[in-house]
Amino acid sequence: MEASKRKHNVEGNKRKYDLTEGVVWQKVVLFAMPILFGIVLQSLYATVDAIIIGRFAGKEALAAIESVYTLTKLPVNFFVGLSTGATIIISQYFGAKKLKEVSNACHTALLFAFVGGLLLSIIAVIIAPFFIKLLKVPAEIYDQALTYVIIFFSGLAASMTYNIGAGIFRALGNSKTPFYFLIIANIINIALDILLVASFGLGIVGAGLATVLSQFICGVLIVIALMRTDLPCKIYLRKIRFNRICLQEFMRLGLPVGIQSTLYPVSNMIIQTSINTFGINSIAAWAVSGKLDFLVWYVSDAFCTTISTFVAQNYGAGQYDRAKKGVVVGASIAVLLVGLVSVGLYFWHVPLGRLLVTDNDVIQILSQIMFLFAPLYVLYVLGAVMPGAIRGMGESFRPMIITLFGSCLCRVLWILFIVPFRPTLMMVLSCYPVSWGITSVLFLLFYRGYVPKLRNQEA
């Protein structure tokens, strides 16, 4: 009786997280909601973190962290992009009900994350000083920036393990479990910030340690959760090994995303270098704007993940028309939500900004940034969401080319050839909305030409 009941619960969980059945918009919304709540939580955490650092460590510490933000994202983005191949393959296997392949892919992905994270950690720590100098970080905050980067990079293995664990759960349609661990991670991080930065006065060192320790704890917890789950992604320590076929598929789909995710922050590093030349107030204002508009990027990323998983499961199941409906629903909701966030930032960025810094010069520059960006954030959405739909179908190379051209190359060309005619901070930052619009248009055109292929397969 107990075994029968357990089997019934396992089957119920599989159907619960199966995105190939049920009403499309309900499945999309229910999958996206935990990710969105996690986004809000992450945004609040980023704000609280900035408040603690800005108030107790000073604007120099805040500027030091922001001046190397794109550098800290470089190895993380590469590996997260690389692991995208794993989550897509796992989603397609799950949609096709190939449960043995799901298990093999999950065990391979987890080992891949840990080993890859260790290698990236070593490489990143070694090359960090070179890139910080390349970023032209002001001399007065150079030492703080270097210290933070080295501490941050030392925890990459834990960060990668957590990210791939969350990706495995989401690949099977379970977005709630990663959300619960995100809550834990943020609570631990804030508590450690208060303890190490506010109470012990460790400044930049405390901020870095708080991040690394919280990631380590959550990395361990999510592995334990994978070992205890009833879903087909259940991990057995004795089965953790590399599967050659899975690795080949991971690399085929993930390497283009990894390359894109690496070059993307490289272009932003070039922009950050230009921003750094305008002084600490401009760096701090850019940092504050980043803390306020994170919700725009996270909403877009969340629906990119949602659409990618939805499409991958339905693509694996051969339900192409359902996959296309999911794309329309997800993209529409993302545009609506980003539009609402944009309105809020346009009218209320000053009181929100003063929660982070009280310096009037910084607030004045922040207003200029928000008046430029807020009306144009919606241009970013489709260029961020549509790649998820295309990758979910098993195509990742051409989305990489489009993104590198529309976002990265256009921004670099703007900095090199347009900014010299009017070398101001706002002219430098204008490269962002220009690139958002170009990228979104390119993806819409590509998707319209790519979808008929699905119709032919369906027929």
Side-chain angles (χ1 to χ4, degrees), residues 71-82:
L71 176 59
T72 61
K73 298 295 288 183
L74 195 61
V76 176
N77 283 6
F78 173 73
F79 192 86
V80 171
L82 198 61

Side-chain angles (χ1 to χ4, degrees), residues 168-367:
I168 289 172
F169 275 117
R170 293 190 186 112
L172 271 66
N174 179 1
S175 58
K176 292 182 180 179
T177 298
F179 169 63
Y180 298 146
F181 284 107
L182 187 60
I183 293 175
I184 295 172
N186 288 335
I187 291 175
I188 293 173
N189 210 330
I190 291 173
L192 289 173
D193 272 335
I194 294 173
L195 179 66
L196 300 177
V197 179
S199 298
F200 292 171
L202 295 181
I204 209 82
V205 173
L209 289 175
T211 300
V212 170
L213 289 173
S214 65
Q215 289 175 344
F216 175 79
I217 293 171
C218 286
V220 171
L221 291 176
I222 205 160
V223 171
I224 293 174
L226 285 168
M227 293 170 64
R228 294 182 175 180
T229 185
D230 289 328
L231 292 171
C233 61
K234 185 178 181 70
I235 294 295
Y236 299 90
L237 293 180
R238 67 181 185 277
K239 292 185 179 181
I240 294 180
R241 62 179 62 88
F242 287 123
N243 180 286
R244 182 178 57 83
I245 295 176
C246 290
L247 275 178
Q248 289 175 346
E249 287 297 292
F250 292 175
M251 297 302 291
R252 180 182 68 82
L253 283 175
L255 190 58
V257 186
I259 294 172
Q260 170 191 314
S261 300
T262 302
L263 294 179
Y264 202 94
V266 166
S267 68
N268 288 339
M269 285 171 63
I270 295 173
I271 300 169
Q272 184 68 56
T273 301
S274 297
I275 294 171
N276 291 347
T277 63
F278 290 97
I280 291 178
N281 285 337
S282 293
I283 297 173
W286 181 238
V288 173
S289 71
K291 302 305 179 185
L292 297 184
D293 66 7
F294 262 28
L295 199 57
V296 172
W297 324 126
Y298 284 147
V299 166
S300 300
D301 289 346
F303 275 91
C304 180
T305 300
T306 299
I307 290 174
S308 179
T309 305
F310 188 92
V311 170
Q313 283 197 21
N314 284 280
Y315 185 85
Q319 300 189 44
Y320 307 116
D321 187 57
R322 180 180 174 85
K324 289 180 285 184
K325 289 179 181 178
V327 173
V328 174
V329 170
S332 299
I333 296 174
V335 169
L336 175 61
L337 291 177
V338 169
L340 293 175
V341 172
S342 300
V343 172
L345 290 177
Y346 187 88
F347 290 105
W348 297 305
H349 62 269
V350 171
L352 291 173
R354 289 194 181 280
L355 293 174
L356 302 177
V357 292
T358 56
D359 189 297
N360 288 329
D361 291 333
V362 174
I363 295 297
Q364 184 178 6
I365 298 172
L366 171 66
S367 289

